[in-house]
């Protein structure tokens, strides 16, 4: 049975989107962007042969990271969503996306300033509901950087420092050492986040879920958001050196993930995103036998994970995010959203309303003006 958001929400909030332009802003893919534009087939062929395994298995193709993904590009990707599920995506939450000027510890604020200059809410583009900005609690500049973000835009309501680390040497590490979230210098510096009433975005791998529990205990008044089901790497197919290489290994990854999710969900200040549903690091897209193959197959694969997270956290502590454009090589927005609507639909309209709008509004402190726009009122771009 197909379920619908028609009459449930007038507009969906996508709570996990990356906006970038490698031609005009400093990104890791910026050097490759002009080459890709000039000779995409040549770059694709070279990427498949010479790119490190860590990068190939994260992105699958340079196509989406070497090209801009801006409000208009998101609107084009989301064009079929309203037809598929009965409601359009009308607002999104931007998640910091690796601003590369690292010599200046205050440089990440330039991403916030760039974001609010984009043409949001015009000509079918989504509104910018909130910004998750970068700051590292281990840095002595953390508090000053957060204050600069907040001064640049009132839409900054959450902070992220990537913490994902995996023992498989051919799985990409987003931080160079394990255990970041439970390190004493991180926990001490985290007060800069907590004292400003901001939330924190936890981008980790599944073995690091106990680290989130440590942070949650230390700061019980701060909301911590788990991205992408904590990415149980290789749960659907081989990744890296030998992660998920056999059915037995994949079953063990899932079992351990399930136990860790149940344990961390006991902390009432932790919430989880239904995001990264088609993330390549889960094992999707690396070979023909690991292709998703459409919405029905995606639903069959993801339903146990969606159900377990929803049961563990409850309907008030789960929200939707597409992880676009990172998930784009494997699944379309209509298929990702349609899959989630169908899995969650039997739980009733109240759950659907919370997952696709209300919980994001609360968790990210989305202001009344934006919430009104999400309910269907057109808006102009705002900063």
């Amino acid at each position: 049975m197909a379920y619908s958001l028609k009459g449930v929400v007038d507009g969906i909030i996508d709570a996990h989107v990356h906006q970038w332009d490698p031609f005009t802003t400093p990104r890791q893919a910026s050097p490759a962007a002009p080459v890709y534009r000039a000779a995409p087939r040549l770059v694709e062929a070279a990427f498949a042969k010479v790119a490190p395994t860590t990068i190939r298995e994260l992105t699958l193709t340079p196509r989406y990271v070497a090209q801009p993904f801006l409000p208009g590009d998101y609107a084009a990707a989301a064009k079929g969503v309203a037809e598929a599920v009965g409601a359009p995506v009308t607002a999104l939450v931007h998640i910091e996306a690796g601003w590369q000027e690292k010599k200046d510890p205050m440089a990440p604020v330039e991403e916030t300033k760039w974001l609010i200059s984009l043409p949001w809410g015009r000509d079918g583009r989504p509104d910018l509901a909130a910004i998750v900005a970068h700051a590292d609690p281990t840095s002595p500049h953390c508090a000053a950087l957060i204050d600069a973000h907040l001064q640049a835009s009132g839409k900054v309501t959450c902070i992220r420092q990537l913490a994902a680390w995996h023992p498989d040497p051919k799985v990409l590490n987003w931080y160079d050492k394990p255990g970041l979230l439970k390190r004493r210098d991180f926990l001490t510096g985290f007060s800069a986040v907590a004292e400003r009433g901001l939330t924190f975005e936890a981008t980790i791998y599944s073995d690091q879920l106990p680290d989130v529990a440590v942070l949650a205990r230390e700061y019980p008044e701060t909301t911590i958001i788990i991205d992408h089901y904590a990415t149980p790497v290789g749960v659907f197919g081989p990744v890296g050196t030998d992660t998920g290489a056999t059915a037995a290994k994949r079953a063990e990854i899932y079992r351990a993930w399930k136990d860790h999710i149940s344990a961390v969900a006991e902390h009432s200040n932790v919430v989880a995103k239904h995001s990264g549903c088609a993330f390549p690091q889960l094992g999707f897209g690396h070979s023909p036998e690991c292709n998703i193959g459409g919405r029905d197959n995606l639903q069959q694969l993801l339903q146990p994970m969606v159900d377990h997270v929803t049961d563990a956290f409850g309907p008030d502590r789960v929200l939707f995010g597409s992880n676009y454009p990172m998930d784009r090589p494997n699944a379309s927005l209509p298929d990702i959203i349609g899959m989630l609507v169908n899995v969650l639909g039997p739980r009733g309209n109240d759950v659907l309303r919370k997952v696709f709008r209300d919980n994001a509004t609360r968790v990210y402190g989305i202001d009344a003006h934006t919430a009104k726009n999400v309910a269907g009122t057109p808006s102009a771009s705002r900063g």
Side-chain angles (χ1 to χ4, degrees), residues 183-337:
R183 275 174 33 182
R184 181 46 52 189
D185 57 346
F186 182 94
L187 294 171
T188 299
F190 194 84
S191 62
V193 178
E195 289 168 359
R196 288 158 178 79
L198 303 174
T199 58
F200 180 76
E201 201 92 5
T203 301
I204 56 170
Y205 295 134
S206 55
D207 287 349
Q208 297 174 285
L209 281 165
D211 298 356
V212 176
V214 172
L215 180 60
R217 284 194 298 269
E218 290 280 336
Y219 289 94
E221 302 303 317
T222 298
T223 298
I224 301 163
I225 306 158
I226 296 173
D227 294 336
H228 313 335
Y229 305 104
T231 311
V233 176
V235 72
F236 294 119
V239 176
T241 305
D242 61 359
T243 301
T246 65
K249 288 184 177 182
R250 293 191 288 274
E252 176 56 24
I253 290 168
Y254 182 77
R255 184 205 60 76
W257 168 84
K258 191 174 181 181
D259 290 345
H260 287 324
I261 285 287
S262 295
V264 78
E266 294 179 4
H267 297 275
S268 60
N269 58 323
V270 180
V271 303
K273 282 184 187 174
H274 289 303
S275 65
C277 295
F279 203 16
Q281 287 187 315
L282 294 176
F284 292 138
H286 303 149
S287 61
E289 57 269 24
C290 293
N291 286 340
I292 289 174
R295 187 183 310 177
D296 290 344
N297 196 40
L298 181 62
Q299 179 173 338
Q300 183 177 0
L301 290 166
L302 264 291
Q303 182 153 358
M305 291 178 65
V306 174
D307 282 339
H308 181 64
V309 167
T310 307
D311 290 339
F313 284 90
D316 294 315
R317 292 196 287 144
V318 286
L319 55 154
F320 159 69
S322 69
N323 195 34
Y324 249 52
M326 295 304 295
D327 283 24
R328 194 173 189 181
N330 282 325
S332 70
L333 273 173
D335 279 353
I336 291 171
I337 297 174

Side-chain angles (χ1 to χ4, degrees), residues 159-182:
I159 295 298
R160 181 168 85 152
Q161 164 58 52
L162 292 163
W165 186 91
H166 199 280
D168 188 323
K170 290 189 176 180
V171 172
L172 183 66
N173 289 330
W174 290 105
Y175 201 79
D176 60 2
K177 296 178 182 178
L180 174 64
L181 302 187
K182 62 183 180 181

